Amino acid sequence: MLPLGVYIHFPYCPQICPYCDFAVAKVRQIPQRRFTDAVIAELRRRAPDFAAGPARRVVSIFLGGGTPSLWEPAELARALAEVRALFNLAPDAEVTLEANPEAAGEPLLRAYREIGVNRLSLGVQSFEPAQLVALGRVHSAGQAEEALASARAAGFDNVSIDLIHGGEGQTAAGAGSDAARAVALGVGHVSCYALTLTALAVDVPMARAVRRGLLVLPGDEEQAAMGESLRAALGAAGLRRYEISNFARPGRESVHNGLYWRGAEYVAVGPGACGLLLQRGDSLRGVRWKDERSATTWMDRALAGELPEAEREELPAEDLLRERIFTGLRLVEGVDLEELEAWSGLPVRSPYAPVLERLVRERLALVEGPRLRLTELGLDLHSEAALRFF
């Protein structure tokens, strides 16, 4: 069985954060039924491509956004039922829903739990009032704590929270305090992201404010100190760093994100969603698509029976191999070079021997048998290290 993920993008938000470049929309009234109908239409168009060839089993469904906790449970139930009807869904599949703390009461979360959602990802971002304001968030630290209590009362024992560090005025001590407060609440998974305003899909308000000198963010050294403070607090509480930005108690690692990092296939539907299909003939090749960002355009095209794509790219084995090295080196476990050679049908250790030797010499990586993994320094400089394979 080849592991397969399903990603569904729900684009609607009550407000749009000033740093967000995702495909999101703020509307007076969410077209709940029409949106769900469009999701089902695209799923039906995508499914045949993933049913051919070796058997594939869906091990994860991720409901991202946007704010998917605005999706009415009855409508979401229709979409999940369609996934079950179209794909071979593993009995223990991880089904994750992203939610905002200010709108995550127990009755709503219980309704999601009853239709099959078994993992929550709460967008907390910070527990510091000043940071919440700086990041454009509308919830309070108290509401974040209440959301976690509601999640447990609703039957969720697998909860992740997101933290963002590097906002205006934040310090290393503040970032460490956020992490300590998160683990004190008993969560099993924490994603810690540095605020990033470069190479975004759109020119976000926060980036414009920085360019105009209206906003000054912490520098690289301050960001690095925040990262160290976060790691120390999470490690002391027993959460292991298993990927550059992700920490978990044993058994609580994200199944869905693990598919991305390990080069697996994923069906993606919804505005701005990006998916990957792998095909094997004489050699490995892939197809990546990205859907229309506009929710209205995406729905119109999906409901007209089209594949609502904005972009489609054919990927030869060489590109897939480099991408898998790049994403795989995000993991603390690194990549198995022997396995990559078998997967891609291409040599890795011989042509990249000078790159491997240099990474080891500069203490950015370790080679242990067939496995290549980055050191702590290498993880902090991941892009610089991984791009040497391109």
Side-chain angles (χ1 to χ4, degrees), residues 189-386:
H189 187 282
V190 179
S191 297
C192 302
Y193 301 110
L195 180 62
T196 302
L197 299 176
T198 57
L200 301 181
V202 295
D203 190 17
V204 300
M206 190 175 283
R208 294 196 296 271
V210 170
R211 287 200 307 271
R212 294 168 183 166
L214 304 175
L215 178 66
V216 178
L217 299 179
D220 291 343
E221 291 186 7
E222 294 169 292
Q223 284 264 25
M226 291 177 205
E228 290 178 9
S229 183
L230 284 161
R231 291 194 290 273
L234 294 171
L239 273 75
R240 180 183 68 92
R241 186 187 196 187
Y242 71 98
E243 190 268 348
I244 290 175
S245 303
N246 287 272
F247 302 75
R249 300 189 190 282
R252 291 305 189 199
E253 297 85 358
S254 169
V255 173
H256 192 83
N257 287 338
L259 296 176
Y260 298 150
W261 298 322
R262 294 183 176 92
E265 296 175 293
Y266 46 97
V267 185
V269 303
C274 182
L276 176 68
L277 171 67
L278 299 180
Q279 301 170 328
R280 287 192 178 274
D282 295 333
S283 62
L284 175 69
R285 59 192 177 92
V287 176
R288 176 178 290 115
W289 73 87
K290 185 173 184 179
D291 276 357
E292 297 275 6
R293 281 181 65 94
S294 162
T296 300
T297 303
W298 171 81
M299 281 189 289
D300 287 345
R301 292 188 61 188
L303 291 172
E306 301 178 33
L307 284 178
E309 296 173 353
E311 302 172 18
R312 173 170 278 249
E313 180 184 13
E314 301 284 339
L315 299 168
E318 293 81 0
D319 288 353
L320 290 167
L321 173 62
R322 293 188 188 98
E323 287 188 6
R324 187 164 173 188
I325 292 173
F326 187 90
T327 57
L329 287 178
R330 292 187 61 91
L331 291 162
V332 170
E333 69 183 33
V335 293
D336 186 316
L337 300 177
E338 186 176 300
E339 180 184 294
L340 284 184
E341 289 177 334
W343 175 80
S344 66
L346 298 171
V348 178
R349 287 167 290 185
S350 175
Y352 289 114
V355 174
L356 299 175
E357 292 170 3
R358 183 182 172 192
L359 289 172
V360 172
R361 186 170 64 250
E362 295 177 357
R363 300 182 180 180
L364 296 176
L366 296 172
V367 177
E368 300 164 330
R371 184 162 294 278
L372 169 69
R373 64 181 181 87
L374 298 183
T375 62
E376 284 290 318
L377 175 62
L379 289 170
D380 288 340
L381 299 173
H382 167 266
S383 292
E384 178 182 328

Side-chain angles (χ1 to χ4, degrees), residues 7 44 79 178 228:
Y7 176 80
R44 289 176 178 172
D178 273 344
E228 290 178 9

